[in-house]
């Protein structure tokens, strides 16, 4: 195997996989280094106890919080990265998210690019990832140069009723953008079967638009693309000037291997990208590679999210529930800061409830949880989390990850929950049954829930406040780039993956120009 490449990409998730897909047609010799393996296709993919109780697909990493307490982070190391488990809600950030936004706890900073700069790449990402939706339905969204490639996924009757009730009450519900390989008109056998196993599960039939299925698999066998799995990048080494990455050090099958490339791109996810840089300290980069600004690892964000199962008297027999979104509270008003986005979660089931709430459900018989799940309508609330310098990834002398984190925007998070309660009362979800009236079972995601991790190596025009420039090239190095969620200067309040994918395609266009 040749050891020198045009481009080495570290990580095959939303950022790395998409970048490889964008670069490969240009004929560049690409090495993809992925620490995980292919996620096995097996019945456990769709087994709630295996996925939620046993955590079968969660990594065995141990990280430490700022008190030194160990925890198991909810990260997934596979070809396709976190997208193997994601819910494929593929939202664009709203134009306002690219500007400065004031919150009660501080300011969400502006991006070095605007919505219009990313718009063509959002469109390309939506077409690549086969997104279903209806541009123009949600009044908060920005201009789109092209409609989605697929019509919006239809609501099932219970969700359609909620949508109608919301419209009647003056809200603006919209069809959520979904990345699934579903053809509701022709229904060919090879595509999505519209099941309940999307959000939080791997797709057994490969009908979810994840980075493995959409971006990486189509490259396998192409002569200019090499994928090494089980290849954990441990550090990067530079030449004596400190400006050029010369070696990518990899731990594979218990051995250390070295690879080199004209361009090296980190896309290992926000925490692991920072980890690699901090582990690459040298005489030229004493504080960690590309870290003269002391920004590497800082400004970690992961959204203030809340899952709410609203229990109504009426059963909810919806199978694929993720079709509805509400952004009526997304933008600031004269009276308050933005509160965030409300969308639907994958449908609750007894196994998942037990796995997510083991203490609460310890003594509950299975039938009672099944009854709860049958009646629940499941919402997912997201409020923007601010990039705080003290919310950061550091390594201890043994190279172990420490994640210091304090929540921000509690006022806005609580405000969004209050708005949801009003919605539930207006949509009949709180009525009729005495025991379940206004009974909401909610679950705050603890620090281990790093599904939406972002920040740690933000891009920006000022070298003292950022790690990389507007093209996501490290300020202090000539051939090191970033293509994952680590570059986010702020995270907005919608799911991050489509923005990661769009930005990776943008970085890909830049690299094609540079390598020409
Ligand atoms: C359960 C769940 C549900 C989610 N739902 C949604 C959703 O509905 N919509 C949405 O927009 N987002 C969702 N997300 C978040 C979304 O998946 C992430 O934001 C996105 O995948 C981040 O892209 P990334 O490229 O930064 O990281 P990842 O996609 O995680 O890719 C990082 C890759 O790097 C690899 N890697 C890590 N360290 C190393 C190393 N040292 N050497 C080599 N390889 C390495 C990893 O194995 C992985 O393949 C969800 C995430 C989870 C976990």
């Amino acid at each position: 195997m040749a050891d020198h490449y045009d481009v080495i990409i570290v990580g095959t998730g939303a950022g790395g996989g998409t970048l490889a897909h964008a670069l490969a047609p240009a004929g560049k010799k690409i090495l993809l280094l992925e620490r995980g393996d292919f996620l096995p296709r097996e019945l456990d993919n769709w087994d709630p106890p295996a996925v939620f109780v046993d955590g079968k697909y969660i990594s065995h990493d141990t990280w430490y919080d700022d008190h030194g307490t160990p925890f198991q982070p909810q990260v997934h190391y596979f070809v396709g990265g976190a997208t193997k488990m994601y819910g494929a809600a593929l939202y664009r950030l709203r134009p306002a998210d690219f500007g400065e936004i004031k919150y009660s706890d501080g300011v969400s900073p502006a991006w070095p690019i605007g919505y219009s700069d990313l718009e063509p790449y959002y469109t390309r990402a939506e077409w690549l990832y086969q997104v279903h939706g209806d541009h123009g339905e949600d009044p908060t969204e920005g201009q789109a140069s092209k409609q989605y490639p697929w019509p919006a996924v239809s609501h099932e009757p219970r969700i359609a009723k909620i949508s109608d009730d919301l419209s009647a009450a003056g809200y603006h519900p919209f069809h959520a953008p979904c990345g699934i390989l579903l053809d509701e008109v022709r229904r060919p056998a090879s595509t999505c079967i519209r099941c309940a196993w999307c959000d939080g599960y791997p797709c057994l039939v490969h009908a979810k638009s994840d980075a493995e299925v959409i971006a990486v698999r189509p490259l396998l066998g192409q002569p200019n693309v090499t994928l090494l799995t089980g290849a954990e990048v441990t550090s990067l080494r530079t030449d004596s000037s400190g400006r050029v990455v010369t070696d990518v050090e990899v731990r594979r099958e218990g051995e250390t291997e070295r690879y080199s490339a004209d361009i090296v791109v980190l896309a290992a996810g926000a925490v692991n990208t920072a980890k690699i840089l901090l582990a690459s300290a040298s005489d030229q980069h004493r504080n960690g590679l590309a870290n003269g600004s002391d920004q590497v690892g800082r400004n970690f964000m992961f959204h203030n999210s809340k899952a709410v199962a609203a229990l109504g008297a009426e059963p909810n027999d919806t199978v694929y529930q993720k079709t509805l979104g509400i952004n009526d509270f997304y933008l600031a008003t004269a009276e308050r800061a933005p509160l965030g986005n409300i969308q639907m979660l994958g449908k609750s089931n007894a196994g998942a409830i037990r796995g997510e709430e083991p203490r609460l459900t310890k003594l509950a018989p299975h039938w009672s949880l099944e009854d709860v799940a049958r009646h629940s309508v499941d919402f997912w609330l997201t409020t923007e989390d601010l990039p705080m310098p003290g919310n950061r990834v550091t390594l201890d002398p043994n190279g172990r990850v420490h994640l210091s984190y304090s929540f921000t925007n509690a006022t806005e998070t609580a405000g969004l929950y209050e708005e949801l309660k009003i919605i539930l009362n207006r949509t009949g979800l709180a009525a009729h049954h005495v025991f379940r009236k206004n009974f909401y079972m909610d679950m705050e995601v603890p620090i281990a829930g790093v599904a939406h991790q972002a920040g740690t190596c933000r891009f920006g025009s000022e070298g003292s406040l950022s790690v990389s420039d507007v093209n996501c090239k490290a300020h202090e190095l000539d051939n090191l780039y970033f293509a994952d969620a680590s570059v986010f200067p702020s995270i907005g309040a919608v799911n991050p993956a489509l923005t990661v994918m769009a930005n990776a395609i943008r970085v890909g266009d830049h690299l094609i120009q540079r390598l020409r």
Side-chain angles (χ1 to χ4, degrees), residues 53 68 86 158 197 219 238 261 328 332 370 437 441 491:
V53 181
Y86 80 163
R158 186 74 186 93
W197 321 114
L219 305 181
T238 67
D328 288 86
E370 277 186 338
K437 187 172 163 58
M441 196 176 71
I491 193 171

Side-chain angles (χ1 to χ4, degrees), residues 35 65 89 126 151 165 168 223 227 270 305 372 376 404 408 463 512:
R35 71 182 285 174
D65 70 11
E126 284 166 355
D165 289 349
L227 166 67
S305 298
V372 167
S376 75
S404 303
T408 62
I512 290 170

Side-chain angles (χ1 to χ4, degrees), residues 176-453:
C178 304
I180 51 177
L181 303 178
L182 173 71
D183 184 338
E184 291 197 278
V185 181
R186 291 185 297 123
R187 294 187 187 278
S190 61
T191 56
C192 172
I193 56 170
R194 201 181 169 123
C195 69
W197 321 114
C198 206
D199 202 359
Y201 300 85
C203 182
L204 176 59
V205 295
H206 276 193
K208 179 161 73 175
S209 299
D210 64 45
E212 178 206 347
V213 170
I214 295 288
V216 179
R217 273 195 181 268
L219 305 181
L220 301 179
Q222 292 196 14
N224 62 324
V225 180
T226 304
L227 166 67
L228 289 186
T229 57
E232 181 185 355
V233 172
T234 50
S235 66
L236 307 179
R237 297 290 150 212
T238 67
D239 66 2
S240 56
S241 75
R243 289 211 59 94
V244 179
V245 176
T246 52
D247 288 290
V248 177
E249 284 193 358
V250 174
R251 194 183 302 130
R252 195 163 73 104
E253 294 171 354
E255 304 287 330
T256 299
E257 300 174 353
R258 286 187 181 76
Y259 298 92
S260 65
D262 294 347
I263 303 284
V264 175
V265 186
L266 289 179
V271 171
N272 281 303
T273 283
K275 179 185 177 189
I276 292 167
L277 292 178
L278 294 171
S280 304
S282 64
D283 287 347
Q284 296 92 343
H285 296 272
R286 291 186 179 277
N287 208 14
L289 191 61
N291 196 21
S293 60
D294 192 28
Q295 292 297 305
V296 171
R298 293 189 185 275
N299 306 303
F300 173 84
M301 300 165 278
F302 77 155
H303 273 147
N304 287 334
S305 298
K306 192 189 274 277
V308 177
L311 304 178
E314 195 179 328
N316 175 16
D317 292 323
T318 306
V319 178
Y320 184 77
Q321 190 173 242
K322 290 179 67 71
T323 56
L324 182 76
I326 307 163
N327 269 343
D328 288 86
F329 321 105
Y330 198 90
L331 302 177
T333 66
E335 290 79 38
R336 56 149 180 81
L339 302 183
N341 163 272
I342 299 176
Q343 60 185 268
M344 311 307 294
L345 268 177
K347 185 75 189 72
S348 277
N349 58 67
I353 294 173
R354 198 182 287 286
E356 286 163 346
E357 289 286 0
R359 271 178 296 181
L360 195 71
T361 57
K362 196 172 174 193
L363 301 175
H366 193 73
W367 62 262
S368 70
L369 294 183
E370 277 186 338
D371 194 43
V372 167
R374 172 130 200 261
H375 287 261
S376 75
V377 180
D378 310 271
F379 294 88
W380 181 247
L381 278 60
T382 304
T383 298
E384 179 162 6
D385 176 24
L386 292 176
M388 307 302 265
N391 286 350
R392 64 185 297 204
V393 175
T394 51
L395 299 188
D396 66 20
N398 297 317
R400 297 179 306 190
V401 170
H402 289 245
L403 186 55
S404 303
Y405 184 80
S406 301
F407 286 89
T408 62
N409 289 346
T411 306
E412 288 78 11
T413 305
L416 190 61
Y417 185 36
E418 288 308 311
E419 295 290 358
L420 179 73
K421 286 194 214 170
I422 295 170
I423 283 179
L424 295 180
N425 280 307
R426 286 186 182 168
T427 49
L429 277 164
H432 305 308
H433 198 297
V434 173
F435 291 112
R436 296 203 177 96
K437 187 172 163 58
N438 269 333
F439 176 69
Y440 312 122
M441 196 176 71
D442 65 46
M443 179 192 73
E444 307 250 9
V445 175
I447 187 174
V450 292
H452 288 193
Q453 57 180 283

Side-chain angles (χ1 to χ4, degrees), residues 115-150:
Y115 175 82
S116 59
D117 297 310
L118 205 55
E119 198 287 327
Y121 301 103
Y122 272 135
T123 295
R124 283 169 63 182
E126 284 166 355
W127 279 71
L128 175 63
Y129 279 86
Q130 305 288 305
V131 185
H132 298 240
D134 186 2
H135 281 307
E137 226 187 354
D138 170 14
T140 68
E141 74 173 338
Q143 169 270 341
S145 54
K146 212 168 168 185
Q147 189 49 271
Y148 287 107
W150 291 92

